[in-house]
Amino acid sequence: MSGRRSRSRQSSAVSRITDDQINDLVSKLQQLLPEIRDRCSDKVSAARVLQETCNYIRSLHREVDDLSERLSELLATTDTAQAAIIRNLLMQ
Amino acid sequence: MASTLISNHPVTNSERTRDSKKKKKKKINNSTNQNSLSQSRNRWKSEREQQIYSSKLLQALQQVRLSPSPASTSAPRGGRAVREAADRVLAVTAKGRTRWSRAILTNRLKLKFMKHKRQRVSAAAAGNIRSSKKPRVSILRLKGKNFPALRRKVRVLGRLVPGCKKEPLPVILEEATDYISALEMQIRAMTALTNLLSRATTSAPPPS
């Protein structure tokens, strides 16, 4: 029992993270999501933002996977000299 | 060719450290969450970060390609190896300031020494379960917003962002914002690299 009480005391210190701060973070996240940012810029529910975030991260992961596949195929065909040339182009 | 690359690196590194020192001074002056979040987004959007990432990625990919041995079990397929290298370079570019970048880097070490670490990891996990009850209680305390549906979504989000499975809500949100910006930069850099490579392969005929 006392363990739970001390834990609640500690957690009340953590929950000093106010609702406003959470709202702030959620709105920042909202600005990053292209879905919500382009369509409806008023307040959307936190659940919607979280759902869109999960979907967006998953789609970003898929895109990175696709790009990795293409890159691996391309790298298999080019040789080191060409890659060094490209590196120099990038360093401009 | 390699020497030009090495000579170019110190220039960008010194520029970066000078600018990062200026940014750190600004951070100390206005030490609110807002500034750190907007700075992280601007950081991932800057051209320089993308160039740094691209060059490091190219270096890492060279190493991946030079050892395409079928005997290695850690890199079974080329695409997977490229993805892991890209994530690792992304985490390195993040300079370990965020949880997800640290988690990516430590996960790779864990995979390498899986046999030895398995006992240590299980012992650490047992200790973590006891300590992770604290953050879970803090999520319950947050007033009104936390219906089980929200909590479930937060858990799913925590699983998507590496290293945030057992973190409280505000930490997960903050990590997610930085992670999304970093992923977008990763995609931009890899797309540019793919376009360059495909143009190079079509313009210059491969040696027979």
Side-chain angles (χ1 to χ4, degrees), chain A residues 30-91:
Chain A
Q30 186 181 324
Q31 283 164 17
L32 282 181
L33 303 173
E35 288 269 326
I36 300 185
R37 186 185 54 203
D38 299 334
R39 262 189 242 165
C40 34
S41 52
D42 353 350
K43 297 177 90 177
V44 295
S45 72
R48 173 90 192 276
V49 170
L50 287 177
Q51 185 65 47
E52 291 297 333
T53 311
C54 295
N55 295 340
Y56 190 49
I57 290 187
R58 276 197 213 109
S59 75
L60 287 178
H61 279 171
R62 267 200 306 267
E63 217 171 318
V64 172
D65 277 332
D66 284 341
L67 282 173
S68 309
E69 288 288 336
R70 284 176 61 191
L71 259 183
S72 70
E73 289 168 16
L74 280 173
L75 280 177
T77 54
T78 62
D79 63 344
T80 40
Q82 281 179 335
I85 294 172
I86 292 159
R87 200 184 302 139
N88 282 335
L89 284 175
L90 281 176
M91 293 306 280

Short mmCIF file of all heavy atoms in Angstrom, two decimals, chain A residues 30-91:
data_model
loop_
_atom_site.label_atom_id
_atom_site.label_comp_id
_atom_site.label_asym_id
_atom_site.label_seq_id
_atom_site.Cartn_x
_atom_site.Cartn_y
_atom_site.Cartn_z
N GLN A 30 0.44 17.77 -35.25
CA GLN A 30 -0.58 18.00 -36.26
C GLN A 30 -0.02 18.80 -37.43
O GLN A 30 -0.33 18.53 -38.59
CB GLN A 30 -1.72 18.75 -35.59
CG GLN A 30 -2.93 18.95 -36.45
CD GLN A 30 -3.98 19.71 -35.67
OE1 GLN A 30 -4.14 19.52 -34.46
NE2 GLN A 30 -4.70 20.57 -36.33
N GLN A 31 0.86 19.78 -37.12
CA GLN A 31 1.40 20.59 -38.20
C GLN A 31 2.30 19.79 -39.12
O GLN A 31 2.51 20.16 -40.27
CB GLN A 31 2.18 21.76 -37.63
CG GLN A 31 1.30 22.87 -37.13
CD GLN A 31 2.08 23.80 -36.23
OE1 GLN A 31 3.30 23.80 -36.25
NE2 GLN A 31 1.38 24.58 -35.45
N LEU A 32 2.85 18.69 -38.58
CA LEU A 32 3.75 17.90 -39.41
C LEU A 32 3.00 17.00 -40.37
O LEU A 32 3.54 16.61 -41.40
CB LEU A 32 4.64 17.03 -38.52
CG LEU A 32 5.81 17.71 -37.85
CD1 LEU A 32 6.58 16.69 -37.05
CD2 LEU A 32 6.72 18.32 -38.88
N LEU A 33 1.77 16.64 -40.02
CA LEU A 33 1.06 15.65 -40.82
C LEU A 33 0.46 16.32 -42.04
O LEU A 33 -0.34 17.24 -41.90
CB LEU A 33 -0.06 15.02 -39.99
CG LEU A 33 0.41 14.35 -38.70
CD1 LEU A 33 -0.76 13.92 -37.88
CD2 LEU A 33 1.26 13.15 -39.05
N PRO A 34 0.82 15.86 -43.23
CA PRO A 34 0.31 16.52 -44.43
C PRO A 34 -1.20 16.37 -44.57
O PRO A 34 -1.87 17.27 -45.04
CB PRO A 34 1.05 15.79 -45.56
CG PRO A 34 1.44 14.50 -44.99
CD PRO A 34 1.67 14.71 -43.55
N GLU A 35 -1.74 15.23 -44.10
CA GLU A 35 -3.18 14.99 -44.24
C GLU A 35 -3.98 16.10 -43.57
O GLU A 35 -4.83 16.73 -44.17
CB GLU A 35 -3.53 13.66 -43.56
CG GLU A 35 -3.06 12.46 -44.32
CD GLU A 35 -4.12 11.99 -45.28
OE1 GLU A 35 -5.29 12.12 -44.94
OE2 GLU A 35 -3.75 11.57 -46.38
N ILE A 36 -3.66 16.31 -42.29
CA ILE A 36 -4.49 17.23 -41.52
C ILE A 36 -4.14 18.67 -41.84
O ILE A 36 -4.99 19.54 -41.87
CB ILE A 36 -4.28 16.94 -40.01
CG1 ILE A 36 -4.68 15.51 -39.73
CG2 ILE A 36 -5.06 17.90 -39.17
CD1 ILE A 36 -4.63 15.15 -38.28
N ARG A 37 -2.86 18.90 -42.14
CA ARG A 37 -2.44 20.27 -42.36
C ARG A 37 -3.09 20.85 -43.60
O ARG A 37 -3.52 21.99 -43.61
CB ARG A 37 -0.92 20.27 -42.49
CG ARG A 37 -0.32 21.66 -42.58
CD ARG A 37 1.17 21.52 -42.83
NE ARG A 37 1.40 20.70 -43.99
CZ ARG A 37 2.54 20.05 -44.21
NH1 ARG A 37 3.50 20.09 -43.33
NH2 ARG A 37 2.70 19.31 -45.29
N ASP A 38 -3.20 20.03 -44.64
CA ASP A 38 -3.74 20.57 -45.89
C ASP A 38 -5.25 20.65 -45.88
O ASP A 38 -5.82 21.53 -46.51
CB ASP A 38 -3.29 19.68 -47.06
CG ASP A 38 -1.77 19.65 -47.17
OD1 ASP A 38 -1.15 20.63 -46.73
OD2 ASP A 38 -1.23 18.65 -47.69
N ARG A 39 -5.87 19.70 -45.20
CA ARG A 39 -7.34 19.67 -45.30
C ARG A 39 -8.01 20.57 -44.29
O ARG A 39 -8.58 21.59 -44.65
CB ARG A 39 -7.83 18.24 -45.13
CG ARG A 39 -8.08 17.59 -46.46
CD ARG A 39 -8.75 16.28 -46.30
NE ARG A 39 -7.93 15.20 -46.80
CZ ARG A 39 -8.13 13.92 -46.53
NH1 ARG A 39 -9.10 13.58 -45.75
NH2 ARG A 39 -7.35 13.01 -47.03
N CYS A 40 -7.94 20.19 -43.01
CA CYS A 40 -8.70 20.96 -42.03
C CYS A 40 -7.75 21.50 -40.98
O CYS A 40 -7.21 20.74 -40.18
CB CYS A 40 -9.77 20.09 -41.37
SG CYS A 40 -9.26 18.38 -41.16
N SER A 41 -7.55 22.80 -40.99
CA SER A 41 -6.56 23.36 -40.09
C SER A 41 -7.14 23.70 -38.73
O SER A 41 -6.43 24.16 -37.86
CB SER A 41 -5.93 24.60 -40.71
OG SER A 41 -6.97 25.47 -41.13
N ASP A 42 -8.47 23.52 -38.53
CA ASP A 42 -8.97 23.78 -37.17
C ASP A 42 -8.62 22.59 -36.28
O ASP A 42 -7.97 21.67 -36.71
CB ASP A 42 -10.48 24.02 -37.11
CG ASP A 42 -11.11 24.12 -38.46
OD1 ASP A 42 -10.39 24.18 -39.45
OD2 ASP A 42 -12.33 24.11 -38.51
N LYS A 43 -9.18 22.68 -35.08
CA LYS A 43 -8.81 21.65 -34.11
C LYS A 43 -9.39 20.31 -34.54
O LYS A 43 -10.57 20.20 -34.82
CB LYS A 43 -9.36 22.02 -32.73
CG LYS A 43 -8.77 23.31 -32.19
CD LYS A 43 -9.39 23.68 -30.86
CE LYS A 43 -8.58 23.06 -29.75
NZ LYS A 43 -9.09 23.43 -28.44
N VAL A 44 -8.52 19.34 -34.56
CA VAL A 44 -8.99 17.97 -34.74
C VAL A 44 -8.74 17.24 -33.44
O VAL A 44 -7.92 17.66 -32.63
CB VAL A 44 -8.25 17.27 -35.89
CG1 VAL A 44 -8.56 17.93 -37.21
CG2 VAL A 44 -6.78 17.31 -35.66
N SER A 45 -9.43 16.15 -33.26
CA SER A 45 -9.32 15.46 -31.98
C SER A 45 -7.95 14.81 -31.87
O SER A 45 -7.30 14.49 -32.86
CB SER A 45 -10.41 14.39 -31.89
OG SER A 45 -10.08 13.34 -32.76
N ALA A 46 -7.53 14.63 -30.63
CA ALA A 46 -6.21 14.04 -30.40
C ALA A 46 -6.15 12.63 -30.98
O ALA A 46 -5.12 12.20 -31.49
CB ALA A 46 -5.91 14.02 -28.90
N ALA A 47 -7.29 11.92 -30.89
CA ALA A 47 -7.29 10.56 -31.43
C ALA A 47 -7.03 10.56 -32.93
O ALA A 47 -6.27 9.73 -33.44
CB ALA A 47 -8.64 9.90 -31.13
N ARG A 48 -7.62 11.55 -33.61
CA ARG A 48 -7.40 11.64 -35.06
C ARG A 48 -5.93 11.90 -35.36
O ARG A 48 -5.35 11.29 -36.25
CB ARG A 48 -8.29 12.76 -35.61
CG ARG A 48 -8.05 13.07 -37.04
CD ARG A 48 -8.93 12.23 -37.96
NE ARG A 48 -8.46 12.35 -39.33
CZ ARG A 48 -8.82 13.34 -40.14
NH1 ARG A 48 -9.63 14.27 -39.72
NH2 ARG A 48 -8.34 13.39 -41.36
N VAL A 49 -5.34 12.84 -34.57
CA VAL A 49 -3.93 13.16 -34.80
C VAL A 49 -3.07 11.93 -34.58
O VAL A 49 -2.18 11.62 -35.36
CB VAL A 49 -3.49 14.31 -33.87
CG1 VAL A 49 -1.99 14.49 -33.91
CG2 VAL A 49 -4.16 15.59 -34.26
N LEU A 50 -3.34 11.19 -33.50
CA LEU A 50 -2.53 10.00 -33.22
C LEU A 50 -2.69 8.97 -34.32
O LEU A 50 -1.70 8.37 -34.78
CB LEU A 50 -2.95 9.41 -31.87
CG LEU A 50 -2.52 10.18 -30.64
CD1 LEU A 50 -3.07 9.52 -29.40
CD2 LEU A 50 -1.02 10.25 -30.56
N GLN A 51 -3.94 8.78 -34.76
CA GLN A 51 -4.16 7.80 -35.83
C GLN A 51 -3.41 8.19 -37.09
O GLN A 51 -2.74 7.38 -37.72
CB GLN A 51 -5.67 7.72 -36.10
CG GLN A 51 -6.04 6.66 -37.10
CD GLN A 51 -5.74 5.29 -36.59
OE1 GLN A 51 -6.08 4.97 -35.44
NE2 GLN A 51 -5.07 4.49 -37.37
N GLU A 52 -3.51 9.50 -37.45
CA GLU A 52 -2.83 9.95 -38.66
C GLU A 52 -1.32 9.83 -38.52
O GLU A 52 -0.62 9.52 -39.48
CB GLU A 52 -3.19 11.41 -38.96
CG GLU A 52 -4.62 11.62 -39.39
CD GLU A 52 -4.92 10.92 -40.69
OE1 GLU A 52 -3.99 10.71 -41.51
OE2 GLU A 52 -6.08 10.54 -40.89
N THR A 53 -0.84 10.07 -37.29
CA THR A 53 0.61 9.94 -37.08
C THR A 53 1.05 8.51 -37.32
O THR A 53 2.06 8.27 -38.02
CB THR A 53 0.98 10.35 -35.65
OG1 THR A 53 0.38 11.59 -35.35
CG2 THR A 53 2.46 10.45 -35.48
N CYS A 54 0.32 7.56 -36.76
CA CYS A 54 0.69 6.16 -36.96
C CYS A 54 0.67 5.82 -38.45
O CYS A 54 1.61 5.20 -38.97
CB CYS A 54 -0.28 5.24 -36.22
SG CYS A 54 -0.21 5.42 -34.44
N ASN A 55 -0.41 6.24 -39.13
CA ASN A 55 -0.48 5.93 -40.57
C ASN A 55 0.67 6.57 -41.33
O ASN A 55 1.28 5.95 -42.21
CB ASN A 55 -1.80 6.44 -41.14
CG ASN A 55 -2.99 5.71 -40.55
OD1 ASN A 55 -2.83 4.62 -40.03
ND2 ASN A 55 -4.16 6.33 -40.65
N TYR A 56 0.97 7.82 -40.96
CA TYR A 56 2.01 8.54 -41.68
C TYR A 56 3.36 7.87 -41.48
O TYR A 56 4.14 7.69 -42.42
CB TYR A 56 2.04 9.99 -41.22
CG TYR A 56 2.91 10.88 -42.06
CD1 TYR A 56 2.81 10.88 -43.44
CD2 TYR A 56 3.83 11.72 -41.47
CE1 TYR A 56 3.59 11.70 -44.21
CE2 TYR A 56 4.63 12.55 -42.24
CZ TYR A 56 4.51 12.53 -43.60
OH TYR A 56 5.29 13.33 -44.36
N ILE A 57 3.66 7.49 -40.23
CA ILE A 57 4.95 6.85 -39.96
C ILE A 57 5.03 5.53 -40.71
O ILE A 57 6.07 5.18 -41.28
CB ILE A 57 5.16 6.64 -38.44
CG1 ILE A 57 5.36 7.99 -37.76
CG2 ILE A 57 6.36 5.77 -38.19
CD1 ILE A 57 5.72 7.87 -36.30
N ARG A 58 3.92 4.79 -40.73
CA ARG A 58 3.96 3.52 -41.46
C ARG A 58 4.21 3.75 -42.94
O ARG A 58 4.98 3.02 -43.58
CB ARG A 58 2.64 2.76 -41.26
CG ARG A 58 2.64 1.97 -39.99
CD ARG A 58 1.56 0.93 -39.99
NE ARG A 58 1.07 0.75 -38.64
CZ ARG A 58 -0.11 1.16 -38.21
NH1 ARG A 58 -0.96 1.70 -39.03
NH2 ARG A 58 -0.44 0.99 -36.95
N SER A 59 3.56 4.77 -43.50
CA SER A 59 3.77 5.02 -44.93
C SER A 59 5.20 5.49 -45.19
O SER A 59 5.81 5.12 -46.20
CB SER A 59 2.76 6.04 -45.46
OG SER A 59 3.11 7.33 -45.03
N LEU A 60 5.76 6.27 -44.28
CA LEU A 60 7.16 6.69 -44.44
C LEU A 60 8.08 5.49 -44.40
O LEU A 60 9.03 5.39 -45.18
CB LEU A 60 7.54 7.68 -43.34
CG LEU A 60 6.96 9.10 -43.45
CD1 LEU A 60 7.40 9.92 -42.26
CD2 LEU A 60 7.41 9.77 -44.71
N HIS A 61 7.81 4.56 -43.49
CA HIS A 61 8.63 3.35 -43.41
C HIS A 61 8.56 2.57 -44.71
O HIS A 61 9.58 2.07 -45.21
CB HIS A 61 8.14 2.46 -42.26
CG HIS A 61 8.65 2.86 -40.93
ND1 HIS A 61 8.20 2.32 -39.75
CD2 HIS A 61 9.58 3.77 -40.56
CE1 HIS A 61 8.82 2.87 -38.73
NE2 HIS A 61 9.67 3.75 -39.20
N ARG A 62 7.33 2.47 -45.25
CA ARG A 62 7.19 1.72 -46.52
C ARG A 62 7.99 2.40 -47.61
O ARG A 62 8.65 1.75 -48.42
CB ARG A 62 5.73 1.65 -46.92
CG ARG A 62 5.00 0.42 -46.44
CD ARG A 62 3.76 0.19 -47.26
NE ARG A 62 2.92 1.36 -47.27
CZ ARG A 62 1.92 1.57 -46.42
NH1 ARG A 62 1.65 0.66 -45.52
NH2 ARG A 62 1.20 2.67 -46.48
N GLU A 63 7.93 3.75 -47.62
CA GLU A 63 8.66 4.45 -48.66
C GLU A 63 10.16 4.22 -48.53
O GLU A 63 10.86 4.00 -49.52
CB GLU A 63 8.35 5.95 -48.57
CG GLU A 63 8.25 6.63 -49.92
CD GLU A 63 7.74 8.04 -49.77
OE1 GLU A 63 6.80 8.23 -48.98
OE2 GLU A 63 8.29 8.91 -50.44
N VAL A 64 10.65 4.25 -47.28
CA VAL A 64 12.08 4.02 -47.08
C VAL A 64 12.44 2.60 -47.53
O VAL A 64 13.49 2.39 -48.14
CB VAL A 64 12.46 4.25 -45.60
CG1 VAL A 64 13.88 3.82 -45.35
CG2 VAL A 64 12.30 5.70 -45.24
N ASP A 65 11.56 1.65 -47.25
CA ASP A 65 11.85 0.27 -47.69
C ASP A 65 11.93 0.20 -49.21
O ASP A 65 12.84 -0.42 -49.76
CB ASP A 65 10.75 -0.67 -47.18
CG ASP A 65 11.01 -1.10 -45.75
OD1 ASP A 65 12.18 -1.12 -45.36
OD2 ASP A 65 10.03 -1.40 -45.04
N ASP A 66 10.96 0.84 -49.88
CA ASP A 66 11.00 0.83 -51.34
C ASP A 66 12.28 1.45 -51.87
O ASP A 66 12.93 0.90 -52.76
CB ASP A 66 9.80 1.62 -51.89
CG ASP A 66 8.52 0.83 -51.78
OD1 ASP A 66 8.63 -0.40 -51.63
OD2 ASP A 66 7.45 1.44 -51.84
N LEU A 67 12.63 2.61 -51.29
CA LEU A 67 13.84 3.29 -51.75
C LEU A 67 15.07 2.41 -51.49
O LEU A 67 15.99 2.38 -52.30
CB LEU A 67 13.99 4.63 -51.04
CG LEU A 67 13.11 5.74 -51.59
CD1 LEU A 67 13.21 6.97 -50.72
CD2 LEU A 67 13.54 6.08 -53.00
N SER A 68 15.07 1.70 -50.35
CA SER A 68 16.22 0.84 -50.06
C SER A 68 16.34 -0.25 -51.11
O SER A 68 17.44 -0.56 -51.56
CB SER A 68 16.08 0.20 -48.68
OG SER A 68 15.80 1.15 -47.72
N GLU A 69 15.20 -0.82 -51.48
CA GLU A 69 15.24 -1.87 -52.50
C GLU A 69 15.81 -1.32 -53.80
O GLU A 69 16.72 -1.91 -54.40
CB GLU A 69 13.83 -2.40 -52.76
CG GLU A 69 13.26 -3.26 -51.66
CD GLU A 69 13.93 -4.61 -51.59
OE1 GLU A 69 14.47 -5.07 -52.61
OE2 GLU A 69 13.93 -5.19 -50.49
N ARG A 70 15.29 -0.17 -54.22
CA ARG A 70 15.78 0.39 -55.48
C ARG A 70 17.26 0.73 -55.40
O ARG A 70 18.02 0.48 -56.33
CB ARG A 70 14.98 1.66 -55.81
CG ARG A 70 13.60 1.34 -56.35
CD ARG A 70 12.81 2.61 -56.58
NE ARG A 70 13.44 3.47 -57.55
CZ ARG A 70 13.07 4.73 -57.78
NH1 ARG A 70 12.08 5.24 -57.09
NH2 ARG A 70 13.69 5.46 -58.69
N LEU A 71 17.66 1.28 -54.26
CA LEU A 71 19.07 1.63 -54.09
C LEU A 71 19.95 0.40 -54.16
O LEU A 71 21.01 0.42 -54.78
CB LEU A 71 19.28 2.33 -52.75
CG LEU A 71 19.40 3.85 -52.79
CD1 LEU A 71 19.68 4.38 -51.41
CD2 LEU A 71 20.52 4.26 -53.72
N SER A 72 19.50 -0.68 -53.52
CA SER A 72 20.35 -1.88 -53.52
C SER A 72 20.49 -2.42 -54.93
O SER A 72 21.56 -2.86 -55.33
CB SER A 72 19.77 -2.94 -52.59
OG SER A 72 18.59 -3.46 -53.13
N GLU A 73 19.38 -2.36 -55.70
CA GLU A 73 19.49 -2.83 -57.08
C GLU A 73 20.43 -1.95 -57.88
O GLU A 73 21.26 -2.44 -58.65
CB GLU A 73 18.12 -2.83 -57.75
CG GLU A 73 17.18 -3.90 -57.22
CD GLU A 73 15.77 -3.65 -57.70
OE1 GLU A 73 15.59 -2.86 -58.64
OE2 GLU A 73 14.86 -4.24 -57.10
N LEU A 74 20.28 -0.61 -57.68
CA LEU A 74 21.14 0.29 -58.45
C LEU A 74 22.60 0.11 -58.07
O LEU A 74 23.49 0.14 -58.92
CB LEU A 74 20.72 1.74 -58.20
CG LEU A 74 19.49 2.19 -58.99
CD1 LEU A 74 19.07 3.55 -58.55
CD2 LEU A 74 19.82 2.19 -60.46
N LEU A 75 22.86 -0.07 -56.76
CA LEU A 75 24.24 -0.20 -56.33
C LEU A 75 24.87 -1.45 -56.88
O LEU A 75 26.08 -1.52 -57.08
CB LEU A 75 24.31 -0.20 -54.80
CG LEU A 75 24.21 1.16 -54.16
CD1 LEU A 75 24.22 1.03 -52.66
CD2 LEU A 75 25.39 2.02 -54.59
N ALA A 76 24.03 -2.47 -57.11
CA ALA A 76 24.60 -3.72 -57.63
C ALA A 76 25.13 -3.54 -59.04
O ALA A 76 26.01 -4.27 -59.47
CB ALA A 76 23.54 -4.82 -57.60
N THR A 77 24.57 -2.54 -59.74
CA THR A 77 25.00 -2.40 -61.14
C THR A 77 26.12 -1.36 -61.30
O THR A 77 26.94 -1.50 -62.20
CB THR A 77 23.81 -1.96 -62.02
OG1 THR A 77 23.26 -0.78 -61.44
CG2 THR A 77 22.76 -3.06 -62.04
N THR A 78 26.14 -0.32 -60.46
CA THR A 78 27.22 0.66 -60.64
C THR A 78 28.49 0.14 -59.97
O THR A 78 28.45 -0.75 -59.15
CB THR A 78 26.84 1.99 -60.00
OG1 THR A 78 26.66 1.77 -58.61
CG2 THR A 78 25.58 2.52 -60.59
N ASP A 79 29.59 0.76 -60.30
CA ASP A 79 30.83 0.35 -59.66
C ASP A 79 31.37 1.49 -58.82
O ASP A 79 30.80 2.58 -58.78
CB ASP A 79 31.85 -0.09 -60.71
CG ASP A 79 32.21 1.08 -61.62
OD1 ASP A 79 31.48 2.09 -61.61
OD2 ASP A 79 33.22 0.97 -62.33
N THR A 80 32.49 1.27 -58.20
CA THR A 80 32.97 2.22 -57.20
C THR A 80 33.35 3.56 -57.82
O THR A 80 33.16 4.60 -57.21
CB THR A 80 34.19 1.67 -56.49
OG1 THR A 80 35.03 1.01 -57.44
CG2 THR A 80 33.77 0.67 -55.43
N ALA A 81 33.85 3.55 -59.04
CA ALA A 81 34.28 4.82 -59.64
C ALA A 81 33.10 5.76 -59.82
O ALA A 81 33.14 6.93 -59.48
CB ALA A 81 34.96 4.55 -60.98
N GLN A 82 31.99 5.20 -60.29
CA GLN A 82 30.82 6.05 -60.48
C GLN A 82 30.30 6.58 -59.16
O GLN A 82 29.89 7.73 -59.05
CB GLN A 82 29.72 5.26 -61.18
CG GLN A 82 29.95 5.15 -62.66
CD GLN A 82 28.85 4.35 -63.32
OE1 GLN A 82 28.22 3.53 -62.66
NE2 GLN A 82 28.63 4.58 -64.59
N ALA A 83 30.34 5.74 -58.13
CA ALA A 83 29.84 6.18 -56.82
C ALA A 83 30.70 7.31 -56.28
O ALA A 83 30.19 8.24 -55.66
CB ALA A 83 29.82 5.01 -55.85
N ALA A 84 32.01 7.24 -56.56
CA ALA A 84 32.88 8.31 -56.08
C ALA A 84 32.57 9.61 -56.82
O ALA A 84 32.59 10.69 -56.23
CB ALA A 84 34.34 7.91 -56.27
N ILE A 85 32.26 9.49 -58.11
CA ILE A 85 31.89 10.68 -58.86
C ILE A 85 30.64 11.32 -58.26
O ILE A 85 30.55 12.53 -58.07
CB ILE A 85 31.65 10.31 -60.35
CG1 ILE A 85 32.96 9.85 -61.00
CG2 ILE A 85 31.07 11.49 -61.10
CD1 ILE A 85 32.76 9.29 -62.38
N ILE A 86 29.68 10.47 -57.94
CA ILE A 86 28.42 10.98 -57.38
C ILE A 86 28.68 11.64 -56.04
O ILE A 86 28.09 12.67 -55.72
CB ILE A 86 27.42 9.83 -57.23
CG1 ILE A 86 27.01 9.35 -58.61
CG2 ILE A 86 26.21 10.28 -56.46
CD1 ILE A 86 26.46 7.98 -58.59
N ARG A 87 29.59 11.05 -55.25
CA ARG A 87 29.90 11.64 -53.96
C ARG A 87 30.45 13.04 -54.13
O ARG A 87 30.10 13.97 -53.39
CB ARG A 87 30.90 10.76 -53.23
CG ARG A 87 30.91 11.00 -51.74
CD ARG A 87 31.98 10.18 -51.08
NE ARG A 87 31.81 8.78 -51.34
CZ ARG A 87 32.81 7.96 -51.61
NH1 ARG A 87 34.04 8.41 -51.66
NH2 ARG A 87 32.59 6.68 -51.80
N ASN A 88 31.30 13.21 -55.13
CA ASN A 88 31.84 14.54 -55.36
C ASN A 88 30.74 15.50 -55.78
O ASN A 88 30.74 16.67 -55.40
CB ASN A 88 32.92 14.49 -56.44
CG ASN A 88 34.23 13.96 -55.88
OD1 ASN A 88 34.47 14.08 -54.69
ND2 ASN A 88 35.06 13.39 -56.73
N LEU A 89 29.80 15.01 -56.57
CA LEU A 89 28.68 15.86 -56.95
C LEU A 89 27.89 16.29 -55.73
O LEU A 89 27.45 17.43 -55.62
CB LEU A 89 27.75 15.10 -57.91
CG LEU A 89 28.25 14.96 -59.35
CD1 LEU A 89 27.29 14.08 -60.13
CD2 LEU A 89 28.37 16.31 -60.00
N LEU A 90 27.70 15.37 -54.80
CA LEU A 90 26.91 15.68 -53.60
C LEU A 90 27.62 16.69 -52.72
O LEU A 90 26.97 17.50 -52.07
CB LEU A 90 26.67 14.40 -52.79
CG LEU A 90 25.58 13.49 -53.31
CD1 LEU A 90 25.53 12.25 -52.47
CD2 LEU A 90 24.25 14.19 -53.27
N MET A 91 28.95 16.64 -52.69
CA MET A 91 29.67 17.50 -51.78
C MET A 91 29.73 18.94 -52.27
O MET A 91 30.32 19.78 -51.62
CB MET A 91 31.11 16.98 -51.56
CG MET A 91 31.14 15.67 -50.84
SD MET A 91 30.25 15.74 -49.29
CE MET A 91 31.45 16.52 -48.27
#
